[in-house]
Amino acid sequence: MKILLIAGGWSSEREVSLSAVPGLKDALEELGHAVTVFDLLSNFNDVVKAAREHDFAFINLHGTPGEDGLVQSLLEYAGCPYLGAGPSGSFLALHKAASKQIFRDLGLPTADWEYLPQRPEEGWEPKLAYPLFVKSCMGGSSLRLGRVENRAELDSILNDIFAHGEGALLEPVLPGRDVTCAVAGNQALPPILIVPQMGTYFDFKSKYSEGGAKEICPAPISEAATKKMQEYTLRAVEALGLNGYGRADFILGDNDELHILEVNTIPGMTQASLVPKAAKAIGMTFPAFLQHLIDLGLARHGKK
């Protein structure tokens, strides 16, 4: 097939997206596909034209655009099958305050939160008690994420978030360990335990620095916690209306207590990324996993 590999874009996660392109291109070509690398930043005005010239679009974008449904909408207009979630599910999953409403309505345990779509007025105080985690409501890769103990630290991160034109999400700090669970189609993959090595939580430095974190798959947790996490992941993905693949992030506390944090519709896709590691744990090579995702995308669009 002729595959349009869409990457780059103009979000703060642009370099993260581009870093996966060489490995993706090699693996897709190993499968026998003809691959065109399409940098959204310089070629956005040609998305529809390029999509109509290809059989399938492999989306490797992070943040907006890409995970907000914009590119997916254009691909659907062009009639080009693509990888992963559709426009509506993409946006709901990317917007953390929106997805948490759905988790709560579904009965999935998620931490309390406060959403700040814009800079609060003078005299504002957070509703939640310190310490808090503060993050961009529609960001990823743990950029502009921090744990704060007081108002000065909170204001510092909020200033950074609002300077980038983003809303902020505040959550209480939950005791426990970072665990993530990927899904491909209707199959939940083995969970992964994440153990930061450069601090107390899984921030950008821990994610992308050599030796920044230990990622253990399958996670050395109880069978009951594994099954519950896989069930929650599938329920969250279904409720958001997602297709293809994704990854749900959790905090695993004492007594196997789980809290879902968010769902990623376009997780990292290098061979060392979390989702390919989970696929490897069930015996799928990187190229075979990519072909599986392509097959899921084709099936969703009624193609063979």
Side-chain angles (χ1 to χ4, degrees):
M1 288 194 306
K2 294 175 64 178
I3 292 183
L4 189 68
L5 175 53
I6 306 176
W10 51 83
S11 80
S12 55
E13 299 171 79
R14 170 178 169 79
E15 296 305 320
V16 175
S17 166
L18 291 174
S19 68
V21 167
L24 285 170
K25 186 173 185 292
D26 288 346
L28 291 170
E29 289 178 342
E30 181 181 329
L31 291 165
H33 301 299
V35 181
T36 302
V37 177
F38 187 92
D39 187 342
L40 200 68
L41 178 62
S42 53
N43 297 298
F44 179 76
N45 289 341
D46 296 321
V47 172
V48 171
K49 178 178 181 294
R52 286 177 172 159
E53 295 171 349
H54 291 77
D55 304 307
F56 189 84
F58 196 108
I59 307 172
N60 189 63
L61 295 160
H62 304 305
T64 56
E67 288 184 279
D68 62 354
L70 174 61
V71 171
Q72 291 83 350
S73 296
L74 288 171
L75 292 172
E76 291 197 357
Y77 174 79
C80 179
Y82 58 85
L83 179 75
S88 175
S90 295
F91 186 82
L92 286 174
L94 181 64
H95 197 289
K96 298 177 181 64
S99 59
K100 283 173 73 72
Q101 290 187 58
I102 292 174
F103 301 153
R104 181 68 57 87
D105 184 68
L106 197 63
L108 296 178
T110 190
D112 292 335
W113 71 95
E114 184 173 0
Y115 172 45
L116 302 176
Q118 59 186 17
R119 190 184 298 274
E121 296 180 359
E122 187 174 348
W124 167 87
E125 292 292 339
K127 299 175 183 178
L128 303 170
Y130 297 103
L132 296 169
F133 269 116
V134 188
K135 62 185 77 172
S136 166
C137 187
M138 296 181 65
S141 294
S142 296
L143 288 165
R144 291 180 286 286
L145 162 74
R147 172 178 170 144
V148 301
E149 304 285 343
N150 53 57
R151 183 57 186 269
E153 293 176 351
L154 173 59
D155 286 343
S156 177
I157 296 181
L158 289 179
N159 287 338
D160 191 21
I161 290 173
F162 293 125
H164 284 83
E166 301 170 352
L169 190 80
L170 280 59
E171 295 173 302
V173 174
L174 298 175
R177 297 178 289 172
D178 290 294
V179 190
T180 190
C181 183
V183 62
N186 59 2
Q187 179 183 12
L189 302 180
I192 301 175
L193 175 66
I194 300 167
V195 185
Q197 302 294 294
M198 295 182 173
T200 58
Y201 59 93
F202 197 41
D203 60 3
F204 182 86
K205 186 175 182 181
S206 296
K207 281 187 178 182
Y208 297 109
S209 298
E210 185 71 27
K214 292 182 180 178
E215 298 165 351
I216 307 168
C217 184
I221 60 177
S222 72
E223 183 178 352
T226 294
K227 289 183 177 179
K228 185 161 61 172
M229 188 179 308
Q230 291 176 324
E231 176 201 343
Y232 286 175
T233 299
L234 289 171
R235 288 175 62 193
V237 164
E238 181 180 4
L240 292 169
L242 307 185
N243 304 92
Y245 78 120
R247 195 192 77 229
D249 298 335
F250 295 85
I251 294 293
L252 176 64
D254 295 335
N255 301 318
D256 290 343
E257 183 181 19
L258 280 169
H259 286 86
I260 186 169
L261 300 175
E262 61 185 83
V263 173
N264 298 277
T265 57
I266 309 180
M269 198 51 68
T270 68
Q271 293 196 48
S273 296
L274 293 168
V275 175
K277 280 186 177 180
K280 185 178 180 181
I282 61 169
M284 297 187 75
T285 65
F286 187 57
F289 183 57
L290 297 187
Q291 186 60 54
H292 179 53
L293 298 182
I294 291 169
D295 292 342
L296 289 170
L298 290 170
R300 174 175 176 262
H301 293 270
K303 305 289 185 178
K304 294 183 179 181

